[in-house]
Amino acid sequence: MNDVFRKLEEWGCDVAGTKARFLNDQTLFMSCLYGVLEDNSFDRLGKALEEQNLKNAFEAAHNIKGFLANMGLTPMYNIAIEIMEPLRKGIVTGHDDKYKELMDARKKFEQIMTKNGL
């Protein structure tokens, strides 16, 4: 098994389910995993939260939640949900700790990808 996939599984990601969605095309799966690192939604979310822009924060959080779910990145997905659901209810403040937690998880994901990537 690819070292990235092993590390992601150890972290709690749904690698098997995601591989199945990608018809076991590991090259495509890896390419999409790297795409997560390039997505600017994390920065857009941080900026929107800082500006207390509910609409932009919700859109960014919803986008993040969607692609994390599709990629089986469960640890990050769970945090994204904890940010998105209060935003859905109109609560745009008090997300600093969860946003930091999400960014810390993103950094862990980045380390898995850069230390073990192809």
Side-chain angles (χ1 to χ4, degrees):
M1 173 188 291
N2 179 314
D3 227 23
V4 169
F5 297 148
R6 183 179 57 75
K7 293 274 187 188
L8 290 173
E9 281 184 343
E10 289 171 0
W11 190 31
C13 297
D14 179 21
V15 173
T18 306
K19 275 185 184 178
R21 276 193 298 284
F22 281 83
L23 304 175
N24 291 312
D25 186 337
Q26 293 187 27
T27 302
L28 177 59
F29 185 13
M30 285 296 292
S31 175
C32 291
L33 285 170
Y34 282 111
V36 171
L37 294 174
E38 297 169 3
D39 193 286
N40 70 353
S41 297
F42 295 96
D43 295 330
R44 286 184 318 143
L45 175 59
K47 183 175 188 223
L49 290 173
E50 185 178 306
E51 295 172 351
Q52 296 185 4
N53 183 323
L54 178 61
K55 179 183 180 294
N56 290 348
F58 179 78
E59 287 174 359
H62 192 268
N63 187 50
I64 291 167
K65 178 208 64 122
F67 66 70
L68 294 176
N70 286 334
M71 297 307 300
L73 299 173
T74 310
M76 295 170 66
Y77 168 83
N78 291 337
I79 301 165
I81 288 290
E82 291 182 50
I83 295 171
M84 191 192 76
E85 287 307 319
L87 290 169
R88 182 187 306 276
K89 296 174 186 172
I91 302 167
V92 74
T93 59
H95 301 285
D96 293 346
D97 290 344
K98 282 295 167 190
Y99 180 70
K100 181 183 179 328
E101 188 178 342
L102 179 63
M103 295 307 286
D104 288 346
R106 184 177 182 268
K107 184 164 227 40
K108 179 177 177 73
F109 172 64
E110 183 175 8
Q111 290 170 343
I112 290 170
M113 296 301 294
T114 57
K115 287 183 182 174
N116 301 294
L118 298 173

